[in-house]
Every structure is written in C-alpha cells, then in structure tokens.
Amino acid sequence: MDIRYRHEWKHFINYADLLSIRARMRAVAEPDPHAENGLYTIRSLYFDNLNDKALREKIDGVNMREKFRIRYYNGDTSFIHLEKKSRRNGLGTKYSAELTAAEAQKIVDGDTDWMRMSGRPLLEELYCKMKYQNLRPRTIVDYTREPYIYRPGNVRVTFDYDIRSGLSCTDFLNPDCVTIPVTDRAIILEVKWDDFLPSVIRDAVQTPGRRVTSFSKYAQCRIYG
C-alpha cells in the first residue's frame, strides 16, 4: 500500500488575523466545493482507552501515534466515516471507511462483534483495538470549519472555530446532545500540503508573531474529563 504522509501547520490566530488571511485566501484559492455558504459544521466522536493512551501520546509528543474517530458533516448522518489519523516524524496521514448511521450507533452502544467480519479493514482494526486495547468512545468534538483549496501542491487551508465538547455524552448521533465551548473564541489556522507548499500560499497565511502549535481539538475537549 502506498502511504502518503502530508505536511501540516497549525497556528492559533485571532479574529483580525482571520479577516486578513481570509481576504488573501479568497484572492488566490477556491472555497471547498463541499462547503455550504463557505462553511461546514463537523461532529466527531473520538476513541481512547481507560489509560488515555491517545491523549497522553498527543500531550507527550510521541513521534509515532494514531487516533480513531467517527465523523459526519452539517448534521447529515447519511454520510458518516470512521477515520484513523496517524502521525510519524511530524507528518500525518488518514485512513477512512464509510459507516451507516445504524453501524455507527452500534459502535457507540458497544455492539461490535459484526465489525470483525465486516470486510472493511479499518473497521476490523478498530474492532481488534477495542478488544485488546480497550478503546472506547470518549469525547464528542463539534466545530465550524471554513475551508479553502489550492490545487498545485494539493494544499488545503482551513479556519476552525466555535470548538465545543460533548462532555460525558458519547451519543453523537443525537442532535440534542448538549455541547459547551472549550476555548475562549480560539481560531485555529491549519495548512496541509503534500510535497511542497507554494510560495503564494506561504505568503497568504503569514501570521507575524504566531508560532506553529500542536493544538489538538480532542485534547482541548478532554479538559472536562
């Protein structure tokens, strides 16, 4: 299997930065065609074990790490993905498999035996790790994303804000699950690219005084447990 790892920058920015970078991105890049009015909302359910393996590896900056999540967009539960994100030497890659809403609910409910013979390698891997590493649904993460695409270099630039935690609720298909803000109006600028970052994008996302950060929305949402 040809595994392609991508480069990634993350920056904390403020609202003035957002306005400035947004204007530059609109001049050189295109909005993600999947966005609605330039935005989409994301709901994810992250997995971890009782020892908080994924959380601690993130906080400790472990060089090779992974995390599993289930995700859907704009409240549309007809299109759900199981995803595994892996990082190695500061680069990231992502694996994905489709789920039905019924399958996602079974996983949330702890009904997992069907995953073993699903014929989808990623589901089978999650099944094994739920059995032998005791991975379990831990935290709902909600946020709004404003995405842009620059096709040379396969560059993706996003602004993420209104980050919210579901606290102890893991029933992420339930639209009535209450979520609360976890950051003080934080905005995260993310830049992802393959082999090279074109100078036009490098210039467009410049944020003087902002440093690359290892911000994790999952870790931030675990502040409350």
Side-chain angles (χ1 to χ4, degrees):
M1 180 186 298
D2 181 21
I3 301 174
R4 178 177 289 275
Y5 283 86
R6 281 166 60 80
H7 300 264
E8 178 179 305
W9 282 349
K10 290 185 181 181
H11 295 269
F12 278 114
I13 62 174
N14 60 34
Y15 188 64
D17 295 329
L18 169 63
L19 295 178
S20 178
I21 299 170
R22 175 192 282 157
R24 295 197 293 266
M25 288 304 303
R26 287 177 174 175
V28 299
E30 60 184 283
D32 185 328
H34 297 103
E36 297 181 358
N37 297 318
L39 304 171
Y40 49 77
T41 58
I42 299 175
R43 168 163 287 190
S44 299
L45 177 65
Y46 284 85
F47 291 73
D48 213 335
N49 65 14
L50 294 177
N51 295 321
D52 293 328
K53 177 178 180 291
L55 177 62
R56 294 189 180 280
E57 287 180 350
K58 173 62 180 179
I59 293 173
D60 294 341
V62 173
N63 184 49
M64 296 179 63
R65 61 184 187 269
E66 66 183 24
K67 59 187 176 186
F68 286 86
R69 67 192 180 202
I70 304 175
R71 168 172 287 189
Y72 61 93
Y73 299 84
N74 296 327
D76 181 6
T77 58
S78 68
F79 187 72
I80 301 174
H81 275 122
L82 168 66
E83 298 177 347
K84 181 178 83 167
K85 290 198 69 177
S86 298
R87 290 193 68 80
R88 180 176 183 177
N89 298 326
L91 303 178
T93 192
K94 183 171 68 175
Y95 309 87
S96 181
E98 291 187 14
L99 289 174
T100 67
E103 289 171 338
Q105 190 62 56
K106 285 182 179 180
I107 295 173
V108 171
D109 294 339
D111 177 3
T112 60
D113 286 346
W114 61 274
M115 298 167 62
R116 182 169 58 91
M117 302 295 291
S118 67
R120 284 166 279 177
L122 190 58
L123 268 73
E124 294 167 5
E125 180 182 352
L126 177 59
Y127 169 81
C128 291
K129 290 178 177 177
M130 291 181 78
K131 288 295 182 182
Y132 302 114
Q133 293 184 7
N134 291 314
L135 287 186
R136 296 291 183 271
R138 290 301 300 267
T139 303
I140 289 173
V141 178
D142 286 347
Y143 59 97
T144 298
R145 170 162 285 180
E146 181 179 333
Y148 296 87
I149 296 171
Y150 188 76
R151 298 190 185 279
N154 191 25
V155 181
R156 185 173 179 82
V157 177
T158 59
F159 304 102
D160 294 341
Y161 40 81
D162 191 23
I163 303 167
R164 306 175 67 88
S165 170
L167 302 176
S168 60
C169 176
T170 58
D171 188 10
F172 92 135
L173 295 179
N174 180 0
D176 296 325
C177 179
V178 176
T179 60
I180 65 167
V182 297
T183 56
D184 185 16
R185 302 181 67 183
I187 303 169
I188 308 302
L189 167 67
E190 292 190 10
V191 185
K192 298 179 181 178
W193 70 96
D194 287 343
D195 298 323
F196 73 99
L197 180 61
S199 59
V200 65
I201 297 298
R202 188 184 297 270
D203 292 343
V205 300
Q206 284 299 310
T207 51
R210 311 293 180 200
R211 295 183 178 180
V212 174
T213 179
S214 60
F215 181 89
S216 164
K217 290 181 281 288
Y218 167 65
Q220 194 68 31
C221 288
R222 285 295 309 278
I223 289 175
Y224 299 97

